């Protein structure tokens, strides 16, 4: 093959790779972007877009069943999984097509569909079923993302299990869904399918769900899920699996005692692994960690000059907005001549259970471990007028502030529109506003925002 020279090559069209390739091309660099599956990466195709679309369907079913609480008679509620899936797929395809159009209309940007593999630090082979290409560039950007991890549980490889992608393609509702893992993915799908109408059991190794959260937050999440009818088994490790297309048996050890859980379907949601194993990174000298994630510095540079990694493939927070910020860092440094880094950046995130869990900054545990002199403000959602009026009083708000500087170190909002409320705290933190400003601010009534007044009233002077 004759090599095709480029100024830059982007491997992967995720939420960092696509805008980066467009920005590079618009800056006058002859650029290639390589994608082996679908434009948009994990977020658009099997992540944020489809899951949150299905979460919305599940919430409608939940509210329909609660309609009598609001004085509305809606009758019996049924869910068509095929219709939910069609709605999800239609939205995914529209997002994907929009991304493809943006690539195609960008001058100086070529799209190659196929699997990329390095054959040296500055060259790639791109193979598809129809053709092969050899591409070269002085700058290469790896944005290949990650995929669901496969735990080493005896018998699991013989069981027809589901992952976060395949579960969204079900045409019929499971009778009893077993969920292995109590992280974001397991909880979102567990509650979703419970609301669709199936029995759900979540099995989690840790003493608390959501290992990054404070124990009081995790315990409240577990209480809410149990209130919804989900069985939550903590301190429980999957030991063995067996089954067929109609039933699954999962042997679980809880506090030294083994029990057997019987279900119709099994969702494995125990983390993700990087898509680096087929890139032939050995030919480049790029360093990876023991799990296969690419090592980068705070400017997203690998140890090999001219090669960068962004998004989930480099490890760290696996969120779409972090991938997009990675793009902004590279754009700032390589195109705009700036000096952006990942150092000290805030990492907001929302777990789309219902009520939502939004968090930014330090938890109470982290702040104490770092030696901060702190005060903790906590306010139940049941004391917020807007939450009461809408009938959404589950959860609470929690903020951690520094006694000396009065700065907000972090917050957790487990409540209605928790992600949106969390963003208000993030803006205050970015502006370095002391919490006292929010304590005395005027917010419209009745809104969720005015709860900030009440929350910070709980902070001692």
């Amino acid at each position: 093959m004759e090599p095709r020279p480029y100024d830059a090559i982007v491997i992967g069209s995720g939420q960092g790779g696509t805008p980066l390739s467009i920005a590079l091309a618009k800056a006058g660099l002859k650029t290639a972007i390589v994608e082996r599956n679908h434009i948009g990466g994990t977020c658009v195709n099997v992540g944020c877009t489809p899951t949150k679309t299905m979460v919305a369907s599940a919430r409608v079913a939940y509210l329909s069943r609660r309609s009598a609480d609001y004085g509305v008679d809606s009758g019996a509620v049924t869910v068509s999984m095929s219709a939910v899936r069609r709605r999800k797929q239609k939205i995914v395809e529209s997002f994907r097509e929009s991304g493809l159009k943006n690539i195609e209309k960008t001058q100086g940007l070529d799209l190659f569909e196929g699997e990329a593999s390095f054959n040296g630090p500055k060259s790639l082979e791109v193979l598809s079923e129809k053709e092969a290409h050899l591409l070269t560039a002085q700058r290469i950007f790896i944005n290949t993302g990650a995929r669901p991890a496969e735990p080493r549980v005896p018998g699991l490889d013989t069981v027809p299990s589901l992952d976060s992608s395949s579960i969204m393609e079900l045409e019929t509702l499971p009778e009893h869904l077993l969920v292995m893992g109590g992280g974001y993915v397991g909880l979102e799908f567990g509650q979703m399918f419970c609301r669709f109408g199936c029995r759900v059991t979540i099995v989690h190794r840790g003493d608390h769900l959501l290992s990054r959260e404070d124990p009081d937050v995790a315990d409240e999440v577990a209480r809410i899920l149990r209130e919804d009818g989900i069985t939550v088994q903590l301190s429980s490790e999957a030991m063995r699996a067996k089954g067929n297309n109609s039933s699954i048996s999962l042997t679980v050890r809880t506090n030294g005692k083994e029990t057997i859980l019987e279900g119709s379907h099994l969702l494995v949601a125990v983390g993700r692994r990087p898509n680096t194993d087929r890139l032939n990174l050995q030919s480049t000298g790029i360093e990876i960690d023991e799990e296969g994630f690419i090592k980068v510095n705070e400017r997203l540079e690998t140890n090999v000059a001219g090669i960068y990694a962004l998004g989930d493939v480099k490890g760290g927070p696996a969120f779409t907005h972090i991938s997009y910020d990675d793009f902004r860092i590279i754009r700032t440094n390589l195109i705009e001549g700036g000096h952006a880094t990942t150092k000290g950046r805030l990492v907001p995130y929302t777990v789309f259970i219902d009520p939502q869990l939004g968090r930014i900054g330090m938890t109470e545990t982290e702040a104490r471990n770092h030696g901060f002199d702190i005060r903790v403000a906590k306010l139940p959602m049941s004391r917020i007028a807007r939450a009461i009026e809408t009938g959404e009083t589950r959860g609470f708000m929690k903020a951690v502030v520094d006694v000396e500087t009065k700065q907000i170190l972090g917050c957790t909002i487990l409540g209605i529109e928790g992600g949106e409320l969390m963003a208000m705290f993030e803006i205050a933190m970015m502006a370095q506003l002391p919490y006292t400003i929010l304590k005395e601010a005027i917010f419209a009534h009745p809104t969720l925002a005015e709860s900030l007044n009440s929350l910070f009233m709980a902070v001692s002077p």
Side-chain angles (χ1 to χ4, degrees), residues 263-436:
S264 61
H265 295 71
L266 172 64
L267 168 64
V268 179
V270 293
R272 296 177 71 78
R273 58 180 296 188
N275 291 324
T276 54
D277 45 330
R278 293 160 70 173
L279 287 173
N280 190 30
L281 294 180
Q282 302 92 320
S283 68
T284 68
I286 293 174
E287 293 182 358
I288 58 176
D289 67 15
E290 62 276 6
E291 295 180 334
F293 291 100
I294 296 175
K295 296 182 179 181
V296 296
N297 62 18
E298 61 188 29
R299 292 169 60 89
L300 304 177
E301 300 165 325
T302 69
N303 62 301
V304 177
I307 301 182
Y308 302 73
L310 62 161
D312 298 354
V313 75
K314 71 182 192 314
F319 303 120
T320 291
H321 43 283
I322 294 302
S323 296
Y324 193 78
D325 190 57
D326 289 348
F327 145 66
R328 285 191 291 242
I329 289 171
I330 293 176
R331 178 191 61 190
T332 297
N333 295 340
L334 297 188
I335 298 175
E336 300 172 356
H339 302 282
T341 73
T342 60
K343 188 175 181 179
R345 67 179 172 183
L346 291 172
V347 180
Y349 57 86
T350 301
V351 185
F352 285 87
I353 53 175
D354 185 16
Q356 293 174 8
L357 171 62
R359 186 157 79 76
I360 180 69
M362 294 184 183
T363 63
E364 177 185 356
T365 303
E366 291 169 339
R368 295 192 188 282
N369 289 342
H370 281 81
F372 285 94
D373 184 9
I374 64 171
R375 296 288 184 272
V376 177
K378 198 170 179 180
L379 180 69
M381 299 302 290
S382 59
R383 288 177 52 191
I384 298 172
R386 184 62 178 165
I388 296 171
E389 291 156 0
T390 59
E392 299 284 356
T393 57
R394 300 196 294 181
F396 56 78
M397 304 173 65
K398 181 178 181 180
V400 180
V401 301
D402 185 275
V403 171
E404 181 179 355
T405 66
K406 295 182 171 52
Q407 292 291 304
I408 303 169
L409 300 178
C411 81
T412 302
I413 312 298
L414 175 60
I416 178 176
E417 297 296 348
E420 304 295 340
L421 272 174
M422 173 271 292
M424 296 185 66
F425 289 82
E426 181 182 10
I427 292 169
M429 292 168 70
M430 289 189 294
Q432 297 185 329
L433 289 177
Y435 77 86
T436 50

Side-chain angles (χ1 to χ4, degrees), residues 107-167:
Q107 294 184 356
L109 177 58
D110 294 336
L111 170 63
F112 291 87
E113 298 180 76
E115 180 107 33
S117 176
F118 283 94
N119 57 10
K122 302 299 179 184
S123 64
L124 297 167
E125 282 188 275
V126 180
L127 302 177
S128 69
E129 294 181 358
K130 298 179 180 180
E131 54 190 353
H133 300 279
L134 179 62
L135 311 181
T136 62
Q138 290 303 303
R139 286 176 174 164
I140 299 177
F141 305 87
I142 304 172
N143 180 230
T144 50
R147 64 186 185 274
E150 301 168 359
R152 296 179 179 177
V153 176
L156 188 60
D157 57 342
T158 66
V159 170
S161 61
L162 301 164
D163 61 24
S164 57
S165 299
S166 59
I167 192 172

Side-chain angles (χ1 to χ4, degrees), residues 438-451:
L438 300 180
K439 175 183 173 183
E440 304 296 342
I442 300 174
F443 298 104
H445 174 80
T447 63
L448 293 171
E450 67 177 345
S451 61

Side-chain angles (χ1 to χ4, degrees), residues 207-227:
D207 296 335
H208 303 276
L209 300 172
L210 301 170
S211 59
R212 296 182 184 178
E213 309 304 328
D214 283 326
D216 60 339
V217 174
D219 290 346
E220 181 68 4
V221 169
R223 188 196 68 78
I224 288 170
L225 294 177
R226 286 172 174 143
E227 183 180 81

